[in-house]
Amino acid sequence: MAIKFFIQKDIPDEIQAEVCETIAALGGRVEPKVPRAGFVLVQPGTAEEERLRLCWSTPERPERYFVPYTYVEACKVSGMLLKQIFIHDGQPIRMHIDSSIANVNVRAALSARIMHSGGDPTASAQSARVILADPNTDVFQHLVKTYQSETNKYVESYLWVKKCIEKGQVFYTPVVYKNPGGRRPGEERMQFTREDEQHLCEWIAAKIPYKETGGRTGNRLYQQLCEMASDPEYAWVTRHTWQSWRERYKKNASRLDLKISEIVEEKKPAHGEKGQYGYVRAPEEKPKRTRKKSRNTAASNGIVDMNGEPFGAPVDGATPVPGPSGLHSMETYSVPMPPLPAMTGVMGQVGGPADSFNPVVYQPPAPVFQHMSVPTPGPISAEIARQNAREEEMEDDEVEWQIREGTGPPPAWAKRKLADEEEEPSKRQRTGSVCMPNGLHVIDQAVRDIAKEFRFLIEEVQEYYDKCGDAERTRNRFKKMREVLNALPDDDEPAAA
């Protein structure tokens, strides 16, 4: 049997025609009267919709549904007749879309889905039966806590609408029991057994075998015990909390200490053995720092320099160079080196790498820079070094920026090049580098056109343009000048009486 529809009369005619065409294409039928079982297509938010609902929404006709006229297109898109599931006691379920769903498009799509499935998404938070919110916000948790005591109000995620439509029925998020804490009336707490006490004594005997060490009534010992619950051998620790284990020992210490002593006597662990409570790995020893040998020990070790003097001894008439060697000039070098064979100027074998400083004296090496000749007999002169320098020296006039004094000539840096002076007369404001087909710049061509039009010299027009920099202004000026010249009487004409 064809599904019957009734369309609200004041909906625009073009919309009605489109809806009727879609209904007919899908096999439905539009009736001129309100059907007993079928759909009443309305325009939400209008006075006519309220009137139709008041007149024709009755409990005696539970199969008569009021939906927006867009319902037909929604059924066409989904390929099925959308069920009217958001109905409670014959009335649309009133829903409120919370502001935590901030996306406008999501809110509009959510509202349309609710209406197409029989619900009313226009209710306020106070009057709504279902409040839809974003579960990823703090507002959602606040709403849940606020309305959890109200039996006829539900806080759901915005995805709840889609889930209900897919399942074809309304289901609310179930509540689960949360233990408020404490024992139930008449329920006894977990009792300690002999096995529990035996396990406890074995734990304490392994961690603190000797009571005089202390720590048997501390918290950490029993917290560590409960942390072992993941180990299958310690599955028994879950029977009680660490506080209960601690209280069990504390209240029965005199009796349990005897059991612990028997276990210790049997196993005989060493005092401070690894694994016992309170004992941790000793820190690593820091290497001892060896003292550096003084210079005076060099002579006693038989080390001398190239002049036969004890190593590090000052030379007459020379200024010592700061450094570990105390040598002067570049004739000899003193650097720390690994052991090397005996060399000229060194008596005996050089010390090993364990020494804090191993001075080695050897002849000067070959020059590093091939273009620089380093005379070995004496120090390098400043003139020779300057001649062979790779850098250039700054001129005297480059030391600082010079300035013009009085009417004197300008400094060299302030003088313009000849090419700049030649280009100076032709400088003027240019808007771009656009050229005409004849090769002239657009401004040059404009100056020529103005001069030709008003019969002036190009130089005259050019001079004025250079002052103002505006082609239109230049044209108007020379136009007025030509008009004034044309209005002047000729000298041959007699003056008017």
Side-chain angles (χ1 to χ4, degrees):
M1 182 180 292
I3 299 175
K4 300 177 181 180
F5 293 88
F6 176 82
I7 304 177
Q8 182 179 319
K9 297 301 182 182
D10 60 350
I11 294 178
D13 295 338
E14 57 272 15
I15 297 178
Q16 289 194 41
E18 184 178 353
V19 172
C20 290
E21 183 180 354
T22 305
I23 291 174
L26 296 177
R29 189 171 65 186
V30 179
E31 300 288 345
K33 299 181 180 179
V34 178
R36 292 187 176 184
F39 295 88
V40 179
L41 303 180
V42 298
Q43 186 172 7
T46 60
E48 183 65 13
E49 182 218 3
E50 295 182 5
R51 189 190 66 79
L52 288 172
R53 286 184 180 273
L54 289 174
C55 293
W56 303 104
S57 179
T58 59
E60 292 79 13
R61 298 288 181 261
E63 296 182 356
R64 180 187 294 159
Y65 305 110
F66 291 81
V67 293
Y69 64 86
T70 56
Y71 171 79
V72 177
E73 186 66 22
C75 292
K76 179 181 177 181
V77 173
S78 61
M80 58 179 294
L81 186 70
L82 299 177
K83 293 183 179 181
Q84 304 298 293
I85 59 174
F86 295 127
I87 294 178
H88 180 71
D89 293 339
Q91 296 295 327
I93 297 177
R94 297 174 63 82
M95 303 185 191
H96 172 73
I97 302 176
D98 187 73
S99 58
S100 60
I101 306 173
N103 192 306
V104 178
N105 297 328
V106 174
R107 294 174 66 89
L110 194 61
S111 178
R113 275 192 169 186
I114 293 171
M115 288 190 293
H116 293 158
S117 297
D120 178 15
T122 62
S124 63
Q126 289 74 23
S127 61
R129 179 179 177 85
V130 180
I131 299 177
L132 302 174
D134 187 352
N136 299 321
T137 60
D138 296 336
V139 177
F140 186 84
Q141 302 300 331
H142 174 72
L143 291 172
V144 171
K145 292 180 180 179
T146 303
Y147 297 108
Q148 65 182 356
S149 60
E150 298 189 22
T151 57
N152 293 324
K153 190 179 289 288
Y154 304 90
V155 179
E156 302 289 348
S157 166
Y158 62 89
L159 299 174
W160 172 81
V161 174
K162 181 181 178 181
K163 294 178 180 178
C164 290
I165 294 174
E166 290 176 350
K167 291 190 175 183
Q169 61 179 352
V170 177
F171 64 95
Y172 301 106
T173 303
V175 295
V176 294
Y177 176 75
K178 184 178 180 181
N179 188 1
R183 294 192 303 272
R184 297 175 184 176
E187 182 183 20
E188 295 184 359
R189 63 188 302 176
M190 182 68 69
Q191 300 295 327
F192 275 87
T193 63
R194 292 184 178 180
E195 289 77 10
D196 291 339
E197 289 190 349
Q198 181 66 25
H199 290 146
L200 178 60
C201 292
E202 291 176 355
W203 169 262
I204 297 176
K207 294 298 179 180
I208 308 179
Y210 305 101
K211 187 175 182 179
E212 59 270 15
T213 306
R216 287 187 176 181
T217 56
N219 295 340
R220 187 56 187 157
L221 175 65
Y222 304 95
Q223 290 172 354
Q224 287 182 352
L225 173 62
C226 291
E227 290 173 1
M228 301 293 293
S230 58
D231 191 338
E233 296 183 3
Y234 289 87
W236 49 269
V237 303
T238 57
R239 288 172 48 81
H240 309 282
T241 63
W242 68 266
Q243 294 94 337
S244 297
W245 289 110
R246 177 179 176 274
E247 289 298 318
R248 185 65 177 181
Y249 171 78
K250 186 178 178 181
K251 294 179 179 180
N252 301 274
S254 57
R255 179 171 57 85
L256 296 180
D257 283 341
L258 296 176
K259 291 186 177 182
I260 296 172
S261 299
E262 293 176 359
I263 297 173
V264 172
E265 183 65 25
E266 180 181 353
K267 295 184 178 181
K268 296 182 178 180
H271 192 78
E273 194 176 68
K274 183 179 179 181
Q276 293 182 9
Y277 184 77
Y279 292 92
V280 296
R281 179 188 176 95
E284 299 290 339
E285 291 186 4
K286 295 182 179 180
K288 296 182 179 180
R289 299 181 60 183
T290 57
R291 297 181 60 184
K292 295 183 179 180
K293 295 181 179 181
S294 61
R295 294 178 180 176
N296 295 333
T297 59
S300 60
N301 293 336
I303 302 177
V304 297
D305 60 13
M306 297 181 65
N307 297 323
E309 298 291 336
F311 186 82
V315 182
D316 296 339
T319 304
V321 179
S325 64
L327 297 178
H328 64 284
S329 75
M330 297 179 61
E331 295 178 2
T332 56
Y333 301 87
S334 174
V335 293
M337 293 285 291
L340 294 174
M343 301 175 64
T344 305
V346 180
M347 295 180 63
Q349 183 69 19
V350 181
D355 295 340
S356 59
F357 179 75
N358 300 317
V360 178
V361 181
Y362 57 91
Q363 297 292 342
V368 178
F369 305 105
Q370 298 299 327
H371 67 279
M372 181 186 298
S373 59
V374 182
T376 54
I380 303 174
S381 64
E383 183 178 357
I384 297 176
R386 190 178 298 112
Q387 291 176 358
N388 294 277
R390 293 190 297 176
E391 299 82 12
E392 295 183 1
E393 187 177 11
M394 182 182 290
E395 299 295 337
D396 293 337
D397 56 352
E398 295 178 359
V399 175
E400 61 182 3
W401 290 98
Q402 298 178 351
I403 62 175
R404 182 175 182 176
E405 298 180 0
T407 58
W413 61 267
K415 293 180 180 179
R416 295 184 178 179
K417 296 180 180 179
L418 182 60
D420 296 341
E421 294 177 357
E422 292 177 354
E423 295 177 0
E424 182 64 26
S426 62
K427 283 188 177 179
R428 58 182 173 270
Q429 181 180 359
R430 295 182 182 268
T431 58
S433 59
V434 181
C435 295
M436 301 297 290
N438 56 6
L440 292 175
H441 194 275
V442 290
I443 297 178
D444 295 334
Q445 185 63 41
V447 170
R448 289 174 179 267
D449 293 344
I450 295 172
K452 182 179 180 180
E453 181 180 358
F454 301 109
R455 302 190 302 282
F456 285 97
L457 297 176
I458 296 176
E459 289 78 5
E460 295 175 336
V461 180
Q462 184 69 57
E463 181 181 0
Y464 183 77
Y465 176 79
D466 289 339
K467 291 181 180 179
C468 66
D470 188 351
E472 187 64 24
R473 181 178 172 185
T474 303
R475 187 179 185 280
N476 293 335
R477 180 175 181 82
F478 283 92
K479 179 181 179 181
K480 292 179 181 179
M481 290 173 63
R482 178 52 59 190
E483 292 174 353
V484 172
L485 291 175
N486 292 338
L488 292 175
D490 297 334
D491 293 341
D492 298 339
E493 294 181 3

